[in-house]
Amino acid sequence: MSSALRKPFTQERKKDPEELEFQVFRMQEDMKRIAKKWDVVGIDQTNDENLVIVYKSDSEQRCNIMLNDCETSFRGDWDFSLQALFPEDDTIHIGDIKGPANKGYGSICINYLKELAKDKNIPYITGDIAERDWDHVERLIHFYEKHNFNVEIDYEDKTGSIVWNDSY
């Protein structure tokens, strides 16, 4: 069992028990609907202690790690998504991360992506920081460094790259 999967159940709960009970009920219903189309890979907890369902779709060429926050009902689409490609046998390349910031969704999804890399014996996760990311580049640098990525930024060209190596 992954550490990401154990985390929500070992932390002290501060939420109202009735609210958690409602989230668990919703989670059960949402998992049934999500599992019909995607692979459910875990349950985790956000920064504000909401339960989330983590699920994925993957093929030989691409992978999406998605998340549904159990605070709201699943309506057929993810609340957060990390989209990646498998450009080489030893690399996963993050193409895009979509969803709201500062909820813990990105950390949850990146941890599941790392687990996927380890399960597939893929030692590297890479990505690019583009000019379109420049309005939040400092937040991206903090995020990736927090998750043990090597971050290189060219402030003049407004570009950057990230690399995670399983041996770091």
Side-chain angles (χ1 to χ4, degrees):
M1 184 183 302
S2 74
S3 60
L5 190 59
R6 288 190 303 267
K7 181 183 128 202
F9 303 106
T10 59
Q11 287 184 340
E12 183 179 323
R13 301 249 187 225
K14 297 177 186 153
K15 281 230 177 222
D16 175 14
E18 287 182 23
E19 185 178 340
L20 281 173
E21 184 178 349
F22 187 72
Q23 280 189 30
V24 169
F25 174 75
R26 181 177 286 136
M27 179 179 59
Q28 290 172 323
E29 296 302 309
D30 289 349
M31 281 186 67
K32 291 175 193 173
R33 293 176 44 200
I34 290 169
K36 288 179 182 179
K37 189 171 180 181
W38 296 283
D39 296 327
V40 174
V41 294
I43 298 165
D44 219 307
Q45 188 177 24
T46 66
N47 291 344
D48 52 0
E49 300 180 354
N50 289 327
L51 296 174
V52 295
I53 301 167
V54 183
Y55 52 104
K56 71 177 175 79
S57 66
D58 67 342
S59 67
E60 290 182 23
Q61 298 163 339
R62 66 178 39 245
C63 171
N64 291 339
I65 308 263
M66 300 160 283
L67 179 146
N68 181 71
D69 193 323
C70 296
E71 191 173 41
T72 59
S73 185
F74 179 71
R75 291 185 168 77
D77 204 7
W78 44 261
D79 293 319
F80 192 90
S81 176
L82 187 154
Q83 301 165 349
L85 304 170
F86 300 112
E88 300 171 25
D89 290 341
D90 67 345
T91 304
I92 297 174
H93 185 83
I94 298 171
D96 206 357
I97 299 177
K98 298 180 178 182
N102 300 320
K103 290 182 149 284
Y105 295 165
S107 291
I108 291 168
C109 288
I110 205 83
N111 287 332
Y112 278 93
L113 185 67
K114 287 179 182 179
E115 282 186 41
L116 177 69
K118 290 176 184 179
D119 290 347
K120 290 182 176 275
N121 205 24
I122 297 174
Y124 299 102
I125 299 173
T126 62
D128 299 312
I129 297 175
E131 188 172 348
R132 72 175 180 269
D133 301 318
W134 220 249
D135 64 333
H136 57 280
V137 72
E138 295 304 322
R139 190 176 79 229
L140 286 174
I141 292 168
H142 172 77
F143 172 78
Y144 286 119
E145 286 179 345
K146 175 174 80 170
H147 291 284
N148 299 315
F149 280 76
N150 180 27
V151 180
E152 293 187 13
I153 299 292
D154 183 333
Y155 286 94
E156 192 172 306
D157 289 341
K158 294 186 177 181
T159 61
S161 63
I162 59 163
V163 177
W164 174 83
N165 182 322
D166 189 26
S167 65
Y168 286 170

